[in-house]
Amino acid sequence: MKTNEIRNKFLKFFEKKSHVIWPSDSLVPQNDPTLLFTGAGMNQFKDMFLGKGNLKFKKATTCQKCLRTGDIDNVGKTASHHTFFEMLGNFSFGDYFKKETIEWAWEFLVQELKIPEERLSVSVYKEDQESYEIWAKHIGVPKPRIYQYGEKDNFWPANAPLLGPNGPCGPCSEIFYDQGEKAGCGRKECEPACDCDRFVEIWNLVFTQYDRTEGGKLVPLPHKNVDTGMGLERMARVIQGVQTNFDIDIFNPIIKSLEEITQLKYNGQIENAMLMRRIADHVKACVFCISDGVLPSNEGRGYVERRLLRRAIRDGTQLGVTDCFLYKLVPVVSNVMQEYYPDIKQRRENIARIVKSEEEKFHETLELGTARLKELMDALQKNRQKFLSGQEAFKLYDTYGFPLDMTESILNEKGFTVDKDGFENELKKQRLQARTSSQMTGQVFDTGPLSKIKDISKGTEFLGYNECACEAKIIALIQGDQLVDKVIAGSEITVILDQTPFYGESGGQIGDTGVLESNGNHVRITDTKKNNDFILHIGKVVKGELRTGSLVHARIDTQRRDSIRKNHSATHILHYVLRKVIGQHAEQAGSLVTPDRLRFDFHHFSGLTKEEILRIEDMVNEIILENVPVAVKELSIQDARNAGAMALFGEKYGELVRMASIGDFSKELCGGTHVNYSGEIGLLRIIGESSVAAGIRRIEAMTGIAALNRYREKERILQEMCDILSTSEDKLIPKAQDLLSELKNLHKEIHKVKQKEIRGKIDSFVENAKEVSGVKIIARKLEDATVDDLRKTIDILMKSAKEMAIVLGTAQDGRVTIVAAISPGLVKRGLHAGAVSKEVAKLVGGGGGGRPDMAQAGGQWVDKLDEALRFATELLSKKLLDGVS
RNA sequence: GGGGACGUAGCUCAGUCCGGGAGAGCGUCUCGUUCGCAACGAGAAGGUCGGGGGUUCGAUUCCCCUCGUCUCCA
């Protein structure tokens, strides 16, 4: 039985048991900032478990995309560890409980999948007698095959009663598949809890029936939930009777491609196989990440993805592949997964491009590291040492991303070794440091103010598609992170209403601004955000007060909203045109729609040419001028897809979606607000094109009056330029060029004149120089000179005699600058230009210093310069007479 | 969330430790050599030393903040 078949059978089975087949959540959890990635089927139902969700059904079944990196070190080594995997599950939100759950699980395994009963064993929580009885009496599982374990194995979250976290929890019952004595440790008394491979856990049934409160007290929940999880790949392995998850049908083609790329044979036992398995796992994980909108980057989710890619690339080099190769696996993954994940197929070229560009980047990193390591080896050689210190190896790893095993093998080749213990020590230090300053709470369920609001309301109804004002009731007021009943004038506040015309920031469209009013009370709303199904009005009470439960008149700034609508519809047209002009791969990767401008990020591998930009701008404006109708309608996701609507990378859509179509051109799924006819946009001008990340470009544009104003402003500047240069527009450029070259010539002229002037002075300086024991002392003032002039003068003066001491000063812009120079012979005798300049500068209210032969100083008292220079002469004379040496 | 490194000419980088003339190679342009190309020779243009603040007479250099890139840990 193929993996796809198992997935289908599972979902259909529970549909028959009146469950709703619900789509997988994105790998990027929506509305859950505590999680990097979706790691279990129940994540998207957290609110439903707490009785706060607003889904219309109580029974659901899903096949959830999951990503976990906790066990990453085991991936490839064991038969069943993955980073990315699919989790089948059935859920009850206060509906059925243990009996049906167990009954259906058994029915599915034995009747649908035809697993022989004697192969199955189960475990229950030692204090969960109810489940034990159901298994033993109702199902008839022989008692020796029902195991009773503690809270480490059969409680969710593991060890929750003792260690927490607080929140919903409960006992669980696990079902195991027995692979037979040969597969495991061989001990007669072997059982599911044994570490060996004999018993495979195939299904975990969690009965969420308690709320854990402070101190580990378990309070029964008023409505009991079921949350089950079956690893799809593991199930497929059992059904297909193969050794590891990587031998099932959806991994076979990936492994096969790897055999072709590496020219090596996949053999389950040897080291190479482990590497191949890991590559297969990681590349699949990355394909799904990218398709859910996560790009490789240096932080957060993007960084996790980058690490996965890099591990896979490293494994590839271990297998002897030196070129980029991972991207070649993307179409293979897409092929095996396309049936249930059509998006992956549609986007495989973009995904492959992103993977390839990341591979190229990593090869660069490796090259840099290799070069650095060579330097280190040279240093070792020079010092006749054989060991590279742990610190150095760690720095190579930590700062330059160069893997230890690579460092080691390069060193070994040249007869060096590395201090591995030292390396481990450094690594431990860093771990400790990171852990102690980590802020992760470990909280599974949200307990903030919004969670409390969910007890009393399902969400805010958005009326803003048709209305710009309405009456509304205040459901809640949040100040800081506290719920309050009343707020007074002057307070910063977040207001939640039962219904509202305000659009909460989402889908790239910025939130509305406006006012909330009721007799004598006035709140200015400066921003609106969306959280789950609530719309948060953020603002300040200007006058009067607000109370929970009271009524207000909510009104948005319609002019601002109009500008936003223009920009939003224009964004859709731009998206459509972009794909026409540069190719279908140019899909949206991000978007920001504000009243002033729009920003659109899209997938593309190189910068746009001037011609392309012009063409895009022209085509967008043609559609605007055609004044085609913009229609927005609600329909089922399936109908929308059939109509050919664009869905976005990483967006998760519900059953009912809004589709915005602009004439016969663009069709996109979109929750935002739009104009009625394209002509309302007026015009669009692209004001910039740039890069945001590897493979992602950005266009910024303006529409309507804003675009007009921008070009008016440019025209004004142009006009002003013409006025200043007293010329006409057509002669502006040659005129500016003429002026510039004239300016340049003048600069040169001035320079020459100055040089001449200086030369003139130089002779008199030399003639009038004071001479002390054969050394010429010059301390003079130059009018209106720069530091550079002073230096150059000194350079010339220096040539006039063998031993000299020179101090030159100038006053410019109310500041004094002094440069001092001492000839080499005098420097040897101990005279120091730095010391001289320091002392001289004191007289002009400043300080100074520099090298023995050349130094610089400055000060503020311009009128003291002459005095300071006289002092310089005396000082130098005295030092020479005293015989500095 | 915490740490490390980097940011200087169109590109690759030196200079920063220890504050005081912003440099090299490649590339570009001009001229020369050559039948022509490659190569070579001579010369020139090109820099807010990522941005902001501070210390200082003076900051590419020291200190603080910030942005961007790379990297490790969580």
Side-chain angles (χ1 to χ4, degrees):
Chain A
M1 197 183 294
K2 301 242 178 193
T3 306
N4 277 333
E5 238 175 290
I6 298 172
R7 191 194 292 114
N8 279 336
K9 267 189 198 278
F10 186 92
L11 297 175
K12 291 281 177 228
F13 176 82
F14 281 101
E15 191 179 38
K16 266 186 268 164
K17 307 284 181 197
S18 64
H19 287 59
V20 170
I21 300 181
W22 194 242
S24 168
D25 197 7
S26 162
L27 274 178
V28 179
Q30 315 283 305
N31 292 320
D32 195 344
T34 61
L35 284 173
L36 275 183
F37 290 103
T38 301
M42 58 77 69
N43 282 13
Q44 63 171 330
F45 299 122
K46 279 183 188 176
D47 281 342
M48 292 303 287
F49 282 126
L50 293 166
K52 297 175 181 183
N54 51 10
L55 295 174
K56 305 277 186 289
F57 46 80
K58 288 176 143 191
K59 297 195 273 277
T61 179
T62 61
C63 175
Q64 175 67 48
K65 299 178 268 188
C66 296
L67 190 82
R68 293 185 192 171
T69 52
D71 285 327
I72 189 168
D73 285 331
N74 284 325
V75 175
K77 288 180 187 158
T78 67
S80 60
H81 280 100
H82 294 288
T83 53
F84 174 87
F85 58 94
E86 292 170 84
M87 181 90 94
L88 296 165
N90 55 297
F91 305 91
S92 158
F93 317 120
D95 195 89
Y96 62 87
F97 203 47
K98 291 176 182 170
K99 182 163 165 281
E100 293 89 333
T101 307
I102 291 173
E103 203 176 281
W104 290 336
W106 193 258
E107 183 184 337
F108 180 71
L109 294 173
V110 173
Q111 289 180 24
E112 293 285 324
L113 298 186
K114 311 261 188 274
I115 298 177
E117 286 186 26
E118 62 276 14
R119 287 278 190 180
L120 297 172
S121 310
V122 301
S123 71
V124 295
Y125 180 48
K126 60 181 195 289
E127 283 167 33
D128 182 8
Q129 209 52 41
E130 195 184 347
S131 294
Y132 186 90
E133 296 295 324
I134 296 170
W135 281 119
K137 297 207 173 122
H138 186 67
I139 304 290
V141 176
K143 287 191 178 167
R145 295 218 310 272
I146 306 176
Y147 298 86
Q148 288 175 294
Y149 295 136
E151 50 203 35
K152 179 172 162 281
D153 292 303
N154 278 82
F155 210 88
W156 186 91
N159 290 319
L162 205 61
L163 304 172
N166 290 335
C169 61
C172 61
S173 176
E174 298 185 315
I175 305 174
F176 298 87
Y177 180 86
D178 182 358
Q179 304 199 90
E181 275 182 36
K182 281 185 302 217
C185 55
R187 295 181 304 138
K188 245 210 151 64
E189 65 279 16
C190 182
E191 55 170 302
C194 178
D195 280 335
C196 79
D197 283 338
R198 175 169 168 185
F199 290 93
V200 186
E201 180 210 324
I202 52 175
W203 206 341
N204 190 1
L205 317 174
V206 182
F207 307 113
T208 320
Q209 63 187 105
Y210 300 115
D211 184 18
R212 183 193 194 267
T213 57
E214 213 45 66
K217 230 180 114 190
L218 301 181
V219 183
L221 280 171
H223 96 195
K224 297 176 168 44
N225 305 300
V226 173
D227 155 25
T228 84
M230 172 197 283
L232 174 63
E233 294 82 356
R234 200 180 289 185
M235 196 68 233
R237 159 182 145 213
V238 165
I239 297 292
Q240 294 173 17
V242 290
Q243 279 224 307
T244 77
N245 291 12
F246 298 91
D247 299 303
I248 65 175
D249 59 328
I250 59 170
F251 272 107
N252 269 330
I254 307 176
I255 299 281
K256 192 163 263 166
S257 299
L258 272 169
E259 286 187 314
E260 280 164 25
I261 290 168
T262 57
Q263 294 290 312
L264 293 169
K265 203 88 197 100
Y266 174 81
N267 170 326
Q269 305 309 314
I270 56 174
E271 175 79 3
N272 283 352
M274 188 274 276
L275 297 173
M276 287 191 190
R277 288 194 287 260
R278 200 150 76 180
I279 295 170
D281 172 87
H282 289 4
V283 76
K284 192 159 154 234
C286 292
V287 166
F288 275 86
C289 276
I290 295 171
S291 123
D292 274 350
V294 180
L295 293 168
S297 86
N298 55 354
E299 52 185 24
R301 298 186 182 103
Y303 185 59
V304 173
E305 182 181 316
R306 173 169 280 171
R307 277 169 60 192
L308 288 175
L309 277 171
R310 293 196 167 182
R311 270 173 78 113
I313 299 167
R314 276 293 294 135
D315 291 346
T317 57
Q318 299 275 2
L319 293 171
V321 189
T322 47
D323 294 337
C324 299
F325 71 101
L326 276 183
Y327 75 99
K328 296 178 189 162
L329 296 173
V330 173
V332 184
V333 173
S334 141
N335 253 338
V336 288
M337 303 307 291
Q338 58 175 298
E339 190 175 322
Y340 195 67
Y341 303 97
D343 282 4
I344 301 241
K345 187 188 178 190
Q346 192 197 330
R347 301 199 156 115
R348 63 179 189 272
E349 276 164 40
N350 277 343
I351 296 171
R353 204 170 283 135
I354 289 163
V355 169
K356 191 176 181 195
S357 123
E358 187 61 21
E359 284 191 84
E360 282 161 358
K361 259 194 181 164
F362 187 48
H363 282 126
E364 242 170 68
T365 300
L366 289 184
E367 261 169 51
L368 284 175
T370 312
R372 234 196 118 72
L373 182 57
K374 283 224 171 81
E375 276 170 32
L376 289 173
M377 286 195 300
D378 287 346
L380 288 181
Q381 192 96 54
K382 224 173 176 181
N383 300 326
R384 297 176 179 281
Q385 287 172 332
K386 285 274 162 215
F387 298 95
L388 185 72
S389 72
Q391 279 96 333
E392 287 289 358
F394 182 73
K395 193 174 176 191
L396 214 46
Y397 169 74
D398 181 48
T399 301
Y400 300 97
F402 201 70
L404 177 67
D405 54 346
M406 225 157 153
T407 300
E408 212 181 352
S409 79
I410 293 176
L411 283 174
N412 289 346
E413 261 172 47
K414 305 271 165 157
F416 299 102
T417 51
V418 59
D419 173 15
K420 274 171 112 169
D421 292 341
F423 179 92
E424 289 300 330
N425 249 334
E426 294 292 317
L427 191 64
K428 251 183 226 154
K429 256 195 258 170
Q430 201 200 26
R431 285 210 172 116
L432 195 70
Q433 189 185 17
R435 200 168 298 142
T436 46
S437 45
S438 175
Q439 305 247 317
M440 281 297 210
T441 52
Q443 203 81 303
V444 183
F445 289 90
D446 179 26
T447 52
L450 266 172
S451 148
K452 289 182 193 138
I453 296 166
K454 283 175 191 162
D455 287 335
I456 48 173
S457 167
K458 296 286 185 204
T460 309
E461 193 184 345
F462 178 61
L463 305 177
Y465 291 125
N466 307 307
E467 314 287 338
C468 54
C470 75
E471 302 303 316
K473 192 172 138 189
I474 298 175
I475 295 175
L477 297 167
I478 303 173
Q479 210 167 10
D481 57 354
Q482 295 295 316
L483 276 182
V484 292
D485 290 328
K486 183 183 142 184
V487 283
I488 53 165
S491 321
E492 307 276 343
I493 185 78
T494 298
V495 185
I496 297 176
L497 303 172
D498 62 341
Q499 53 179 24
T500 183
F502 285 76
Y503 185 85
E505 179 172 348
S506 61
Q509 179 174 332
I510 201 169
D512 280 319
T513 64
V515 291
L516 305 180
E517 287 170 315
S518 65
N519 40 8
N521 305 313
H522 187 100
V523 184
R524 195 173 60 235
I525 301 302
T526 50
D527 194 11
T528 311
K529 292 198 182 302
K530 215 179 148 186
N531 188 309
N532 291 290
D533 292 304
F534 292 94
I535 294 175
L536 314 181
H537 306 76
I538 300 159
K540 190 172 180 179
V541 183
V542 179
K543 213 174 94 189
E545 57 173 47
L546 280 189
R547 281 172 193 278
T548 305
S550 60
L551 295 175
V552 287
H553 183 74
R555 198 176 72 237
I556 61 166
D557 178 341
T558 46
Q559 207 179 345
R560 184 169 175 279
R561 165 71 85 74
D562 278 345
S563 302
I564 295 173
R565 293 188 334 171
K566 288 185 200 332
N567 281 340
H568 201 151
S569 299
T571 302
H572 283 219
I573 301 177
L574 179 65
H575 189 188
Y576 170 82
V577 167
L578 258 175
R579 299 184 68 214
K580 283 273 173 256
V581 174
I582 61 173
Q584 292 299 310
H585 64 273
E587 280 189 65
Q588 172 166 345
S591 148
L592 177 69
V593 178
T594 72
D596 313 311
R597 52 193 250 293
L598 63 94
R599 198 177 79 191
F600 188 76
D601 299 345
F602 56 99
H603 290 260
H604 193 49
F605 34 89
S606 63
L608 298 183
T609 63
K610 284 200 183 87
E611 292 73 28
E612 281 171 327
I613 290 175
L614 281 178
R615 203 150 148 244
I616 290 161
E617 202 178 85
D618 284 346
M619 282 175 69
V620 171
N621 283 310
E622 275 162 28
I623 294 176
I624 290 172
L625 290 173
E626 246 185 78
N627 200 24
V628 294
V630 178
V632 179
K633 64 175 175 184
E634 256 190 13
L635 65 178
S636 77
I637 179 102
Q638 202 47 51
D639 289 346
R641 279 188 199 275
N642 291 344
M646 288 279 299
L648 300 181
F649 262 91
E651 282 290 313
K652 197 222 165 188
Y653 297 97
E655 273 305 278
L656 270 185
V657 293
R658 287 171 64 84
M659 180 178 79
S661 9
I662 300 179
D664 291 328
F665 303 106
S666 143
K667 273 195 183 62
E668 263 187 60
L669 301 186
C670 176
T673 59
H674 288 274
V675 296
N676 296 315
Y677 287 90
S678 66
E680 290 170 44
I681 298 167
L683 82 159
L684 174 135
R685 298 261 7 209
I686 292 174
I687 57 174
E689 193 269 348
S690 57
S691 156
V692 259
I696 309 284
R697 307 291 302 180
R698 168 171 295 174
I699 279 183
E700 295 184 79
M702 290 176 125
T703 67
I705 298 291
L708 188 66
N709 283 341
R710 182 184 160 88
Y711 283 85
R712 267 200 198 137
E713 174 65 10
K714 295 215 162 189
E715 203 162 288
R716 191 190 62 74
I717 292 170
L718 194 67
Q719 196 50 52
E720 211 165 293
M721 288 293 297
C722 289
D723 289 350
I724 290 169
L725 301 182
S726 40
T727 184
S728 58
E729 263 181 47
D730 53 331
K731 291 184 188 135
L732 187 59
I733 291 169
K735 176 102 187 195
Q737 282 167 336
D738 286 351
L739 281 172
L740 273 179
S741 67
E742 195 179 330
L743 194 65
K744 209 168 176 185
N745 288 336
L746 281 174
H747 270 302
K748 273 186 187 160
E749 204 62 34
I750 290 171
H751 186 72
K752 265 188 208 159
V753 172
K754 245 187 193 169
Q755 289 296 90
K756 212 170 165 189
E757 193 188 315
I758 287 168
R759 268 172 206 287
K761 283 197 176 159
I762 281 171
D763 292 337
S764 97
F765 283 176
V766 176
E767 264 169 46
N768 299 324
K770 188 172 177 185
E771 216 169 303
V772 177
S773 47
V775 175
K776 279 200 166 140
I777 299 172
I778 299 173
R780 300 295 292 259
K781 184 160 111 178
L782 283 180
E783 295 297 339
D784 206 23
T786 64
V787 184
D788 229 35
D789 293 333
L790 296 181
R791 278 210 182 90
K792 286 198 173 116
T793 312
I794 283 176
D795 283 346
I796 300 168
L797 282 169
M798 269 297 178
K799 286 174 192 150
S800 67
K802 191 156 177 276
E803 298 302 344
M804 305 188 76
I806 306 168
V807 178
L808 294 182
T810 189
Q812 233 192 354
D813 305 326
R815 300 181 46 86
V816 175
T817 308
I818 291 165
V819 178
I822 306 287
S823 59
L826 298 181
V827 170
K828 269 190 202 137
R829 282 169 58 188
L831 219 51
H832 195 290
V836 172
S837 68
K838 191 175 239 161
E839 280 195 58
V840 174
K842 274 186 199 155
L843 272 80
V844 291
R851 302 194 307 264
D853 60 323
M854 170 78 80
Q856 203 175 317
Q860 310 151 45
W861 305 328
V862 176
D863 51 328
K864 295 275 179 70
L865 177 57
D866 291 317
E867 190 189 329
L869 288 167
R870 275 197 297 279
F871 169 73
T873 316
E874 282 167 33
L875 180 73
L876 286 166
S877 314
K878 187 162 175 290
K879 287 203 176 198
L880 284 166
L881 287 174
D882 289 354
V884 279
S885 48

